Amino acid sequence: RKGNLVLLENFMKEAVSRARDELKKRYNKIDEKSAKIVAYGAVKYGILKVSSEKNVVFELEQALSFEGETSPYIQYAYARISSILKKAKKINSKADLKLLKEKEEIELVKLLENFPEITAKSTEELKPHLIASYVYSLAQKFNEYYHLHQILQADKNIRDSRILLISATRQVIKNGLNLLGIGVLEKM
């Protein structure tokens, strides 16, 4: 047992070191707390995203990637939304969501609507991979939306509605990752 604990400690030190290197390469600055959050999230997500009926083939390099179905990809989407919301300064909770008519906005709203059902099913069936897959899909959908539509530069009423939409998206990403025991970063 003690040998396994030492192996696990060394593995996690390596994961944190690689996360630190990746963050430094991407953002030219890092702190130990961020590196730990990314590394621990990458390891947890890399394991939890796979159905318990299947064997897990874990590759640290792939798990720490900011592209594809990984925790850093999802954490980055969360940080991007946080950055937009910080620039927006204010969220109008009474924004008119009926103004959201773009295909990607409707798809994002529908995906958000599925969160309670996914979490209930995941809990009842003891299948955390359902939440992992869902949160990844949500991050993907947000990134698609972000690349296609102006948020902060849209006219005021649509801007307010879009800010409210991405705020809800951010909260659900945080809740989903929290259920998996994975932390988030306000900025990366």
Side-chain angles (χ1 to χ4, degrees), residues 7-18:
L7 283 174
L8 181 60
E9 283 178 16
N10 289 337
F11 176 77
M12 291 312 298
K13 283 180 186 175
E14 177 66 20
V16 171
S17 174
R18 289 191 187 188

Side-chain angles (χ1 to χ4, degrees), residues 14 25-26 30 43 55 75 93-94 104 125 135 140 165:
E14 177 66 20
K25 182 173 77 177
R26 287 178 167 272
I30 51 107
V43 171
N55 291 327
Q75 290 168 318
S93 61
K94 295 180 181 181
E104 295 79 18
E125 297 179 13
V135 176
Q140 263 188 319
L165 174 63

Side-chain angles (χ1 to χ4, degrees), residues 1 19 50-51 55-56 94-95 105 108 123 145 148 160 165 171:
R1 285 188 164 206
V50 180
S51 171
N55 291 327
V56 175
K94 295 180 181 181
E105 292 167 335
L108 200 48
T123 303
Y145 176 65
L148 292 173
D160 286 352
L165 174 63
Q171 186 62 54

Side-chain angles (χ1 to χ4, degrees), residues 170-186:
R170 177 180 175 260
Q171 186 62 54
V172 172
I173 289 172
K174 182 178 183 176
N175 292 351
L177 288 177
N178 185 49
L179 288 170
L180 299 173
I182 298 172
V184 293
L185 297 167
E186 298 300 313

Side-chain angles (χ1 to χ4, degrees), residues 126-180:
L126 302 175
K127 294 183 176 182
H129 73 278
L130 297 175
I131 294 172
S133 177
Y134 170 82
V135 176
Y136 171 66
S137 295
L138 187 57
Q140 263 188 319
K141 187 56 66 182
F142 163 74
N143 281 325
E144 177 186 333
Y145 176 65
Y146 172 78
H147 289 295
L148 292 173
H149 302 286
Q150 295 291 322
I151 296 171
L152 295 175
Q153 286 75 34
D155 76 71
K156 182 174 176 7
N157 291 335
I158 290 178
R159 178 184 190 268
D160 286 352
S161 299
R162 288 179 174 175
I163 289 170
L164 188 56
L165 174 63
I166 68 165
S167 176
T169 301
R170 177 180 175 260
Q171 186 62 54
V172 172
I173 289 172
K174 182 178 183 176
N175 292 351
L177 288 177
N178 185 49
L179 288 170
L180 299 173

Side-chain angles (χ1 to χ4, degrees), residues 2-188:
K2 207 171 196 177
N4 288 342
L5 212 51
V6 169
L7 283 174
L8 181 60
E9 283 178 16
N10 289 337
F11 176 77
M12 291 312 298
K13 283 180 186 175
E14 177 66 20
V16 171
S17 174
R18 289 191 187 188
R20 188 182 312 111
D21 293 345
E22 185 63 31
L23 289 169
K24 187 172 184 174
K25 182 173 77 177
R26 287 178 167 272
Y27 308 109
N28 215 16
K29 62 179 182 159
I30 51 107
D31 62 82
E32 199 61 26
K33 182 180 176 191
S34 296
K36 271 189 170 180
I37 289 171
V38 170
Y40 282 61
V43 171
K44 289 176 184 180
Y45 189 87
I47 294 167
L48 294 173
K49 74 177 184 179
V50 180
S51 171
S52 61
E53 295 90 35
K54 297 180 181 176
N55 291 327
V56 175
V57 178
F58 185 84
E59 294 179 27
L60 185 56
E61 197 76 33
Q62 195 275 325
L64 285 167
S65 174
F66 279 72
E67 295 160 16
E69 190 178 356
T70 66
S71 178
Y73 175 86
I74 300 164
Q75 290 168 318
Y76 182 74
Y78 180 89
R80 175 175 272 164
I81 297 170
S82 296
S83 174
I84 295 167
L85 295 176
K86 186 176 179 183
K87 289 176 187 170
K89 294 186 174 110
K90 186 177 128 186
I91 300 169
N92 179 359
S93 61
K94 295 180 181 181
D96 186 359
L97 296 178
K98 292 177 186 166
L99 296 174
L100 301 174
K101 297 184 189 270
E102 299 292 339
K103 175 183 155 244
E104 295 79 18
E105 292 167 335
I106 294 165
E107 290 172 349
L108 200 48
V109 168
K110 286 180 180 177
L111 196 54
L112 289 169
E113 185 179 49
N114 292 337
F115 185 61
E117 181 184 326
I118 295 292
T119 55
K121 184 175 181 178
S122 175
T123 303
E124 289 165 10
E125 297 179 13
L126 302 175
K127 294 183 176 182
H129 73 278
L130 297 175
I131 294 172
S133 177
Y134 170 82
V135 176
Y136 171 66
S137 295
L138 187 57
Q140 263 188 319
K141 187 56 66 182
F142 163 74
N143 281 325
E144 177 186 333
Y145 176 65
Y146 172 78
H147 289 295
L148 292 173
H149 302 286
Q150 295 291 322
I151 296 171
L152 295 175
Q153 286 75 34
D155 76 71
K156 182 174 176 7
N157 291 335
I158 290 178
R159 178 184 190 268
D160 286 352
S161 299
R162 288 179 174 175
I163 289 170
L164 188 56
L165 174 63
I166 68 165
S167 176
T169 301
R170 177 180 175 260
Q171 186 62 54
V172 172
I173 289 172
K174 182 178 183 176
N175 292 351
L177 288 177
N178 185 49
L179 288 170
L180 299 173
I182 298 172
V184 293
L185 297 167
E186 298 300 313
K187 62 181 185 171
M188 285 185 134

